[in-house]
Amino acid sequence: MSACVPTRADDPSRAERTHEPPSPPPPRHRRHGIAGADVSASIAVFLIALPLSLGIALATGAPLQAGLVAAAVGGLVAGWLGGAPLQVSGPAAGLTVVTADLIQQYGWRTTCAITVLAGLAQLGLGSLRVARGALAVSPAIVHGMLAGIGVTIAVAQLHIVVGGTPHSSVLDNLRVLPAQLAELQPAAVSVSSLTLALLLLWPRIPGPAGRVLRKIPPALVAVAGASSAASLAGLTLPKVDLPSWRSHALAGMPEGPVLGVIAAVLTTTLVCSVQSLLGAVAVDKMVAARPGLPARVGRCDLDRELLGQGAANIVSGTLGGLPVAGVAVRSSANVQSGAVSRNSTMLHGVLVVIATLLMVPILELIPLASLAALVMAVGIQMVSLNHIRTVTRHREVLVYAVTTLGVVCFGVLEGVALGVAMAVAVALHRLTRTRITHDEKEGVHHVHVRGQLTFLAVPRLSRALHLVPQGARTVVELDGSFMDHAAYESLQDWQKTHTAHGGSVELVGRRSGVRIGEPTTPIGLHLDPAKAVARSADCRCHPWTPWRNHQCEIPESIQPHDRPEGLSGQAQGQRAGHLDGSGTSRASGSPGSPDAPAESGTADGFGGTGAASAAGGPNGNDGPGRPDRPGESRADASGGSDGSRPSSHQLARGISAFQRNTAPLVRGELARLAREGQQPSQLFLTCADSRVVTSMITSSGPGDLFVVRNVGNLVPLPGEDSGDDSVAAAIEYAVDVLRVRSITVCGHSGCGAMQALLTSEPGDPQTPLRRWLRHGRPSLERVSDESRPWARLAGRAPADAVEQLCLTNVVQQLDHLRAHESVARALRAGELELHGMYFHVGEAQAYLLMEDQGGEVFDDVRVADLSA
């Protein structure tokens, strides 16, 4: 095992197992061999690329060899020179409509010349290092363009599927489709239907046999099955015809109107570049999701990828091939098949060359109807319902629809131009659309501004402000992120006038901590107004900002005689700073000051030493202890028990902020969940520690996680007399009813429950806490078992015995999970995955459990490149 061996400071007998950090290993000689994973991945990609390349060539009306040329060049040239090592390039379905129009308008040789010129344009753009500029295109435009291309492909190929011939435009194809359906050719329909059926059903074969068979690409199975059936049945159908390479047409000088050729080059460059760059970003995300692969492959270089795509298009066009771009289906298959370097992409190109030279008799057995059905299915898949839901959620469905219809009715370049124009119009509409409302509640006038406050909204703002009576108490809520000079002056002039007439004005939402005048008191709290003003003015806690557990400082202006009833001096010290292990107050800076601590402790959950203090144990390394001094009651230590204590004020203030800021954003999603019911994808079982915020560390939202929290993230074994079946009930409900696909057990650093386990003695009184912690004793026994490998962190040893037990406890609780009947049944059926996770609070770093030579290693989760 390559990880460092952890030390166990609490057990001197293990001192001999502690070693000094080893010296760095000598540099290894670079190996130039091809990894076995690359070989297997290249075969999988080749089996997908071969039928698709022929089908795309058929759909464009180009010579069928052109698809094979583009596939080989994309694998060899783009794979060698490109900046995304695992992206597979070749003839792409997204270029089908563009290429078909070019062939019909200019002929094949000029189309090849246009491909060469587009490659030169890509080389120029890559040299200028503007590749990331392509990512500025709205995703709604890109998805709309691909959907329009998909509709065009599907409608055109439908004619070949039923035995006819497609026309040049979608509208013409739709117009003659009824007559074509009236003259069906049974042989073509039967072969096409068999191809589509195999494509649809092959990935859904159940059972263990299905898991083995699903490794064969459905496209290969569909085309091979339909070709075999057609040959056995003796059907007379048009089939693939690959003429001699001696007669293959190469690129010629471009012929036609100069402006038309320039527009064709720009269109080809745009579609090739955008599709390739977006594909490279998608591959980067897939690589980041594979443990250990990002360090070996590295992040993609978009400018180099654009240069590689340009070189590939120059070579492909020169050799008489189709335009080349990154292909999502093949790239995804490459990553999922275990590729680890660009060798897999290049080897797939070599295999295409071999097939082109040696497999011509086999390829000529494929019916054109089968290839048309395959390409039609690809076109239908380009209209993604997931993309439609995404753009609808982001209120960009109008941009998507305009782009799609523009591509279908007018062409790719025209459709993209219409989409860009619509996106600009929507952005301007959002910038100028401002909702201003006025209402009065309990004597307080509220003016709520939603949206950007520009000079266009000043008349409406002025009308709303003049509805406020003179001398009234007013709250102006600004929800936008921008205010221009005209709006600022209008608001400031009104504020001065209103306050001069005895009124009060509070501005909320422009900036954290900016409050003018006397703030409102949350409903249900009866605080002294002077104290409320002081506390609200000092509070800098806002959602998703650095908040130190919302332990805002009590201002120095509040004198001891002004403290809320029940707030002791020590509790005030807790709120103003931190307490060390002896209970001594340590002053801390304000939340915005440089000397403010990075992390604050809490005794609310079982982080830090809450449990350890209750059990008489020492403090942990991640949080302070709770000061249970003699003569001090728990009510005193927590700041009093009456309704006027600051925690109640914070609770109501937090609820008020949620209703004002967050509720309007999530109300639609929560309404959908209320209608459809919860459908979480995973069960997340973690500790009750208040510092472990599950939604924050997993970037999840409403409906994503089914969360179970308890002291120590423990999973009692089934059948034990625990007196509490809540954990088992939650597991059964999540697996059998909600059908979650994964269960994660998450431990964390400085866990008080683990500290209590380490310090417990056999004669200690059996409190409810100790009775519950007996479910963690197997973890303690596992740590003491020298015959088992230790759970450890990759890259460093555990900090102490507590961290060692926290790591081991995650592994042990996963074993307990497997003992539950519902979990075991789902695991056997391949319907469930188990994951171990460790969250280091002080580092804000998550670690995932990996299997490493029979041991348990927690590897850190690195930051994915979301900006690429």
Side-chain angles (χ1 to χ4, degrees), residues 38 50 93 326 337 375 538 578 586 670 672 744 756 782-783 865:
D38 284 333
L50 190 62
S337 298
V375 177
D538 185 74
H578 297 287
R586 294 184 292 168
L670 291 177
R672 183 188 67 81
T744 301
R782 189 178 189 128
V783 170
D865 179 19

Side-chain angles (χ1 to χ4, degrees), residues 129-173:
R129 307 188 68 82
V130 297
R132 290 191 178 273
L135 302 180
V137 180
S138 169
I141 296 175
V142 177
H143 297 323
M145 177 189 72
L146 295 177
I149 293 173
V151 171
T152 305
I153 292 173
V155 173
Q157 297 308 300
L158 180 59
H159 285 268
I160 302 178
V161 165
V162 298
T165 303
H167 291 262
S168 58
S169 70
V170 178
L171 299 180
D172 290 339
N173 283 324

Side-chain angles (χ1 to χ4, degrees), residues 601-622:
T602 176
D604 296 337
F606 277 84
T609 58
S613 298
N619 291 338
N621 59 357
D622 273 335

Side-chain angles (χ1 to χ4, degrees), residues 639-856:
S641 59
D642 63 322
S644 65
R645 66 186 182 186
S647 60
S648 300
H649 184 89
Q650 291 165 7
L651 175 63
R653 183 175 59 209
I655 296 173
S656 176
F658 167 79
Q659 295 297 151
R660 180 178 64 249
N661 301 324
T662 310
L665 302 177
V666 301
R667 185 171 287 117
E669 178 66 10
L670 291 177
R672 183 188 67 81
L673 291 171
R675 292 191 306 269
E676 301 176 2
Q678 62 168 329
Q679 297 178 345
S681 60
Q682 58 178 302
L683 166 62
F684 198 89
L685 196 151
T686 189
C687 186
D689 191 293
S690 61
R691 299 166 298 177
V692 181
V693 185
T694 57
S695 59
M696 183 171 66
I697 65 178
T698 60
S699 299
S700 56
D704 292 338
L705 301 180
F706 187 71
V707 182
V708 174
R709 307 189 69 149
N710 60 51
V711 176
N713 48 275
L714 300 178
V715 180
L717 285 168
E720 287 196 1
D721 184 15
S722 62
D724 181 6
D725 288 333
S726 62
V727 177
I731 294 171
E732 180 182 346
Y733 185 78
V735 175
D736 293 342
V737 179
L738 298 179
R739 301 289 183 182
V740 296
R741 296 187 295 273
S742 69
I743 301 178
T744 301
V745 176
C746 177
H748 67 95
S749 61
C751 181
M754 299 300 103
Q755 297 174 33
L757 271 175
L758 283 173
T759 58
S760 62
E761 299 292 341
D764 289 340
Q766 291 300 306
T767 63
L769 173 61
R770 294 198 177 282
R771 285 196 297 272
W772 168 254
L773 290 181
R774 75 179 185 276
H775 299 300
R777 288 173 188 163
S779 301
L780 198 59
E781 296 170 357
R782 189 178 189 128
V783 170
S784 304
D785 188 355
E786 296 186 3
S787 64
R788 287 186 169 184
W790 288 356
R792 63 200 187 282
L793 295 171
R796 70 169 177 86
D800 51 23
V802 175
E803 186 167 59
Q804 179 67 72
L805 182 57
C806 292
L807 296 171
T808 304
N809 183 57
V810 172
V811 179
Q812 184 65 38
Q813 302 312 313
L814 288 173
D815 288 348
H816 289 187
L817 263 177
R818 296 183 183 96
H820 284 257
E821 181 182 354
S822 56
V823 174
R825 183 171 58 251
L827 288 173
R828 288 194 300 269
E831 300 171 351
L832 185 67
E833 296 179 353
L834 300 184
H835 303 290
M837 178 176 168
Y838 177 74
F839 182 70
H840 194 288
V841 177
E843 298 174 357
Q845 177 65 56
Y847 297 82
L848 286 178
L849 177 62
M850 308 294 175
E851 296 296 332
D852 181 47
Q853 298 179 1
E856 294 89 14

Side-chain angles (χ1 to χ4, degrees), residues 25-330:
R28 299 179 180 177
H29 296 287
R30 185 175 179 181
R31 295 182 301 175
H32 297 279
I34 299 177
D38 284 333
V39 175
S40 60
S42 67
I43 295 174
V45 175
F46 161 72
L47 295 177
I48 296 174
L50 190 62
L52 282 177
S53 299
L54 292 172
I56 292 171
L58 173 67
T60 60
L64 295 183
Q65 295 102 318
L68 300 175
V69 170
V73 171
L76 292 171
V77 179
W80 179 35
L81 301 176
L86 300 189
Q87 174 162 250
V88 181
S89 301
L95 292 161
T96 302
V97 176
V98 176
T99 310
D101 289 342
L102 295 180
I103 293 173
Q104 183 180 12
Q105 188 172 358
Y106 298 106
W108 173 240
R109 293 172 64 88
T110 299
T111 300
C112 293
I114 291 173
T115 302
V116 173
L117 294 175
L120 292 173
Q122 286 180 303
L123 287 181
L125 294 174
S127 301
L128 294 175
R129 307 188 68 82
V130 297
R132 290 191 178 273
L135 302 180
V137 180
S138 169
I141 296 175
V142 177
H143 297 323
M145 177 189 72
L146 295 177
I149 293 173
V151 171
T152 305
I153 292 173
V155 173
Q157 297 308 300
L158 180 59
H159 285 268
I160 302 178
V161 165
V162 298
T165 303
H167 291 262
S168 58
S169 70
V170 178
L171 299 180
D172 290 339
N173 283 324
L174 291 176
R175 186 165 47 250
V176 301
L177 184 59
Q180 187 70 64
L181 294 176
E183 301 176 359
L184 292 177
Q185 294 187 13
V189 173
S190 60
V191 170
S192 302
S193 301
L194 179 59
T195 303
L196 293 174
L198 289 173
L199 276 174
L200 180 66
L201 299 177
W202 190 262
R204 293 170 172 79
I205 299 177
R211 285 197 295 272
V212 176
L213 294 176
R214 285 196 297 268
K215 295 180 180 180
I216 306 175
L220 177 67
V221 173
V223 173
S227 302
S228 301
S231 299
L232 293 175
L235 299 179
T236 302
L237 289 169
K239 296 182 180 180
V240 170
D241 182 17
L242 296 175
S244 172
W245 286 101
R246 296 175 182 175
S247 60
H248 180 64
L250 303 179
M253 294 299 295
E255 299 176 358
V258 175
L259 293 180
V261 172
I262 293 175
V265 171
L266 292 178
T267 304
T268 306
T269 304
L270 171 68
V271 179
C272 287
S273 302
V274 171
Q275 183 165 344
S276 299
L277 294 176
L278 293 178
V281 173
V283 170
D284 229 15
K285 294 179 181 179
M286 288 187 286
V287 168
R290 278 183 54 187
L293 189 58
R296 185 168 182 177
V297 175
R299 293 172 55 184
C300 68
D301 184 341
L302 294 183
D303 293 305
R304 178 180 171 181
E305 178 65 18
L306 195 55
L307 292 172
Q309 295 292 333
N313 274 313
I314 292 174
V315 176
S316 180
T318 303
L319 297 179
L322 292 171
V324 171
V327 186
V329 176
R330 294 170 224 178

Side-chain angles (χ1 to χ4, degrees), residues 483-496:
M483 178 192 300
D484 69 2
H485 186 68
Y488 173 77
E489 280 197 348
S490 177
L491 186 59
Q492 188 180 49
D493 292 344
W494 174 84
Q495 175 194 337
K496 291 179 179 178

